[in-house]
Structures are given as C-alpha cells and as structure tokens.
Amino acid sequence: MANRLLGRLIGTLAGVRRAVSPRNARGHQDAALDERYDMRPARAENAVDLFEGEWSGALPGLPPNGKPAFYADPRVDFFERASGGYVNKHVLELGPLEGSHTYMLQMKGAASITSIEANTRAYLKCLIVKNNYGLHKARFLLGDFLKYLEEEPRRFDAIVASGVLYHMSDPVALIEAMCRSADAIGIWTHYYDHDILSRHPVYANRFAAPETTEHRGVPLTMSRQTYVQQALDWKGFCGGAERVTRWVEKDSLLRLFDTLGFDVEIGKDDPGHVNGPALTFVARKRKSA
C-alpha cells in the first residue's frame, strides 16, 4: 500500500513543463532527465508551476490569473469572530484544498493548525504553500478526515470545515464527529433546496428525488448528487472521494446541530450562489449542553 501511494504521489509530478531543459554532451535533449529536473533559477514560484492549470485559487503575491483570493476570504473572517477568535487556539481544518485558509488561520494567530486532505494532488499543493509562505504552525496530514475524527481522542478548540460537507456521502456522520471533537465549528457548505436546484441550468439533472430519514428523532431531508465525468476528468478536481454525495436541506442541517446541543450563527445565506444554494455559519456548543 505504501509503495503504491508513493508511486501515485510521484506520478502527479510527471509531465511538468520546464522553462529550460538540460542537454547531454552530444547537444540533444535527454527526455528522461527533462522530467526530473527544473533548470530555471531557483525560486519559490517554480514549485507552483508543477500544478500549472490546476490551481483553484490565487496565491499571495502572485498574479491572480482570474482565480479567487481564498487567502483573503471573508468567510474565514466570520468564522474567526463567531468562534471566539483563533489566537493561541488549536484548530482542526478539514479539506484545506490548497492551504489558503490555512494561511489565514496562521495569520490570525492560531497556536497550531492540523489540516487534513485526502486528495493527493491537493495535498502536494498544500505542501508547496506551506513551504513558500512559512506556515510553520500548520501540519498537513494525508488521508480521510472522517476516519481520523472517529479514531482521534484529542479535542480541538475549533474546527474549520469550508467546502467539505456537501462532498460527503454521509454528511450526518461528519457532523456528529465534528460535534464530538470541538465546541466551535465554522462551516461553509452548499445545501439542498428542491425549488432552486430543480431549475438550476447546470445542476438540475444531477440530483435524485429528495429523501427524508430520521436521526436522533429528528427528520432530515437530503438529496443524492452525482459528479459529472467532465468534473472528474479535470486534474484539479477538488470534490469528494466518492462519485455520489448528499446535500442536506438547510432546515434539516440547522435542526441537527440544535439537537446535538449547538447554537448556530449564520454569517450568510446565499440561495443564489452560482453553484447552488450556500450557507456560511458557525455552530457553538451551548454552555448548558
């Protein structure tokens, strides 16, 4: 297993474009060496080029190239305020993607950031960002964060889970695990709204009929969403590890946190988000819970 994983990680670096290619003594390019060496003057930006065309967001100090600046994300500013601040706090980050929110958490004074990413290409991009921007408070772990939470006895001061809940095949299990592991949880997620999504120009055909189940005596409505092949084929794909995920209805989401003993402060409800209705909120454990 370890050898297969190492091979996958190394394989992500194959085929990188080089600005200058080494040549052998006879003056012709050695293709094997060309794949292994970057002969440009050494600089931090060279590592960013390893994933040219795959970055979802811009990076501090580099041209944005039309990408959003997740390293200055107002959602994280809201998480900080509604969670009671991050100064000297031990924070667990789920699905860091490219480390931009990790960068913000360090800038906001977190004592430590444990950041878990299962996507191998995203994980390597996080390591590049850690190295290039000196994220010495952050530790990136490769693997499944739900399994980590189910096995990890340690509790954290706060959790940041931005853009992960709607990528889960079992979002309820993740919510339960987060509520066991921290008293303050910052979440940004898409949610299911039949009226909106049934008319959505892109997502209308990606959802199954909604299903209502019961959890802890509370009715929960969700709908199964399926990734299209075009999204899966992009090397920068940053969705979940399974083709089918479940989006939770907003009222069901809020009821579940209430049942688990958490009060919710909503930062922004964005039913018109281009990729489907979205909600920014912080859940904090009630003192009497």
Side-chain angles (χ1 to χ4, degrees), residues 26-192:
R26 291 178 293 177
H28 64 271
Q29 180 176 314
D30 188 317
L33 288 177
D34 186 42
E35 291 182 358
R36 300 178 192 177
Y37 293 89
D38 189 323
M39 298 306 294
R40 293 174 291 176
R43 54 180 183 150
E45 296 93 318
N46 291 354
V48 176
D49 293 342
L50 290 171
F51 294 96
E52 184 179 359
E54 296 184 32
W55 293 87
S56 295
L59 294 175
L62 296 180
N65 295 324
K67 302 291 185 180
F70 292 134
Y71 59 85
D73 194 334
R75 293 173 294 187
V76 180
D77 294 332
F78 168 73
F79 294 158
E80 176 190 30
R81 182 190 63 75
S83 295
Y86 291 133
V87 174
N88 296 326
K89 300 289 182 66
H90 299 284
V91 182
L92 175 66
E93 182 186 20
L94 307 183
L97 182 58
E98 295 167 356
S100 286
H101 286 176
T102 323
Y103 171 89
M104 290 188 73
L105 291 170
Q106 177 163 306
M107 295 302 105
K108 291 179 180 298
S112 71
I113 307 139
T114 302
S115 193
I116 303 175
E117 178 61 62
N119 183 307
T120 55
R121 300 183 79 84
Y123 172 75
L124 290 172
K125 285 189 277 185
C126 286
L127 296 186
I128 290 171
V129 169
K130 175 182 171 70
N131 183 67
N132 284 6
Y133 296 98
L135 302 188
H136 60 282
K137 298 293 183 68
R139 182 188 182 202
F140 290 97
L141 301 178
L142 177 66
D144 186 298
F145 51 65
L146 178 55
K147 293 175 182 175
Y148 173 89
L149 285 169
E150 290 172 343
E151 296 178 356
E152 174 59 51
R154 175 189 178 191
R155 286 181 57 80
F156 293 84
D157 295 313
I159 291 175
V160 171
S162 182
V164 298
L165 193 61
Y166 62 98
H167 287 309
M168 302 296 295
S169 61
D170 189 353
V172 175
L174 178 59
I175 291 170
E176 287 269 6
M178 290 192 294
C179 289
R180 290 192 301 266
S181 300
D183 292 346
I185 307 165
I187 294 176
W188 178 83
T189 184
H190 290 297
Y191 61 85
Y192 181 72

Side-chain angles (χ1 to χ4, degrees), residues 228-256:
V228 296
Q229 192 61 44
Q230 182 180 2
L232 296 172
D233 288 341
W234 180 48
K235 285 187 176 182
F237 173 72
C238 52
E242 299 180 58
R243 180 181 286 267
V244 176
T245 71
R246 286 176 173 83
W247 289 26
V248 186
E249 196 176 60
K250 180 177 69 174
D251 289 344
S252 295
L253 192 61
L254 301 180
R255 275 197 302 269
L256 180 55

Side-chain angles (χ1 to χ4, degrees), residues 192-206:
Y192 181 72
D193 185 302
H194 177 74
D195 290 340
I196 295 174
L197 290 168
S198 63
R199 301 192 303 268
H200 196 281
V202 176
Y203 293 91
N205 297 322
R206 289 172 56 174

